[in-house]
Amino acid sequence: MTDTDMKIDPQRAAALVSQIKTVRERIAAVANGRDVRLVAVSKLKPANDILALVQQASPPQLHFGENYAQELSQKAELLPRSIQWHFIGGLQSGHCKSLAKIPNLFSVSSIDTEKKAQLLDKYRGEYLSSLPPPSSPPSPSPTNTPVPAPGKINIHIQVNTSGETSKSGCAPGAPTISLCRAVAALPNLHLLGLMTIGAIARSVATTPETENEDFLCLREQRDLVAAELGLAPEDLELSMGMSEDYEGAIVAGSSEVRVGSTLFGARGPKSEAKIMV
């Protein structure tokens, strides 16, 4: 079954389009002219919802984030290749091979060890080597957006800015610098920037007028890594901000925000989720 066989409920589609329009307007209001990437976090939501935003939002929403490797692989098989997938969940070594084979995987935003980076690089290289040489330019997708050829996977290094033992991520300082340097040297990965989730309490308290310590820490780490790697700070993205705090994150300099429940509504239990309805 493919996206052409999927049914889209008109009322659900209209609600999703309205919600993403509101989020985009709120982003623009605080972005001060900067281009901030909106990643629609579609975990545990059906592919029908994603297709509705691809086909009916204006412009089409193409960046979607998933937390579970198997769910992402299944959705990528069903949905248009023009979608740019982001893996934003906790990365396990066993996920690397399947993720690396997704042609339109835009990024992995949760690299926190060199071993995981090396595995992802290895399997991406094997996948790219297995592809036939391109015979013609990429063809437009059903949304009239060119489908890019598979290439390097963008990487955000996850930094544990809050120091919580329950959080994944590199410790700030030397560990973050070392991992960034290692990723930058891998041939099939591209060091896109740094990511943090941060403390929930700080997230809830964040407004466009208040500072979030996790956001400040990530920005400091980005500047430190850039200096150590001989890059300009603007060469490295900051990926921070979710439904609760994305406006404050943008004010603090975020290049990318991950918004899920504000767009799609509350999620039910994983056991009840369906890939397609």
Side-chain angles (χ1 to χ4, degrees):
M1 187 172 286
T2 66
D3 62 274
T4 56
D5 301 306
M6 261 184 237
K7 294 180 180 179
I8 297 175
D9 178 79
Q11 288 186 322
R12 174 63 172 167
L16 290 169
V17 168
S18 175
Q19 283 151 204
I20 204 163
K21 181 175 182 291
T22 298
V23 170
R24 287 171 172 176
E25 288 171 349
R26 290 173 64 180
I27 289 172
V30 293
N32 198 26
R34 291 190 300 115
D35 186 16
V36 177
R37 183 185 307 113
L38 169 60
V39 178
V41 179
S42 47
K43 70 174 182 179
L44 304 182
K45 294 297 180 178
N48 312 63
D49 281 1
I50 298 170
L51 188 63
L53 287 174
V54 172
Q55 292 185 342
Q56 299 188 29
S58 181
Q61 176 65 26
L62 296 178
H63 288 272
F64 291 89
E66 293 285 339
N67 284 59
Y68 305 112
Q70 183 178 6
E71 183 179 357
L72 172 49
S73 296
Q74 290 174 307
K75 288 177 177 176
E77 285 285 331
L78 289 169
L79 290 161
R81 275 279 308 279
S82 56
I83 290 174
Q84 301 290 286
W85 293 106
H86 298 239
F87 183 74
I88 60 175
L91 181 65
Q92 298 176 17
S93 297
H95 293 158
C96 293
K97 189 169 187 177
S98 61
L99 288 172
K101 292 181 178 180
I102 297 172
N104 49 330
L105 181 65
F106 178 84
S107 70
V108 172
S109 290
S110 49
I111 291 289
D112 56 3
T113 70
E114 188 171 346
K115 177 186 176 182
K116 294 173 187 176
Q118 290 172 338
L119 284 172
L120 196 62
D121 175 74
K122 171 191 172 184
Y123 291 127
R124 188 63 166 187
E126 291 176 358
Y127 169 69
L128 294 176
S129 297
S130 72
L131 297 175
S135 56
S136 59
S139 57
S141 74
T143 60
N144 294 318
T145 302
V147 177
K152 294 184 178 184
I153 299 172
N154 292 307
I155 298 297
H156 287 129
I157 301 301
Q158 184 172 358
V159 182
N160 186 349
T161 56
S162 61
E164 296 169 283
T165 57
S166 60
K167 291 283 196 308
S168 300
C170 282
T176 292
I177 294 169
S178 176
L179 183 53
C180 286
R181 183 176 283 114
V183 168
L186 293 171
N188 301 299
L189 305 182
H190 171 243
L191 178 62
L192 190 60
L194 277 61
M195 182 275 278
T196 190
I197 295 175
I200 294 176
R202 292 173 183 169
S203 174
V204 172
T206 299
T207 72
E209 292 77 33
T210 61
E211 291 186 333
N212 180 310
E213 291 177 42
D214 292 304
F215 299 162
L216 295 177
C217 179
L218 194 70
R219 193 168 64 200
E220 291 169 357
Q221 292 302 301
R222 187 272 312 272
D223 293 348
L224 181 62
V225 169
E228 290 288 333
L229 271 59
L231 303 171
E234 56 269 23
D235 291 335
L236 295 173
E237 287 189 355
L238 295 173
S239 177
M240 54 192 192
M242 297 181 286
S243 286
E244 292 281 358
D245 57 12
Y246 67 89
E247 289 163 295
I250 292 168
V251 172
S254 189
S255 316
E256 171 185 283
V257 293
R258 305 177 299 279
V259 180
S261 57
T262 297
L263 291 175
F264 294 103
R267 298 181 185 90
K270 185 179 179 182
S271 60
E272 296 178 7
K274 296 180 179 180
I275 294 295
M276 190 167 60
V277 295

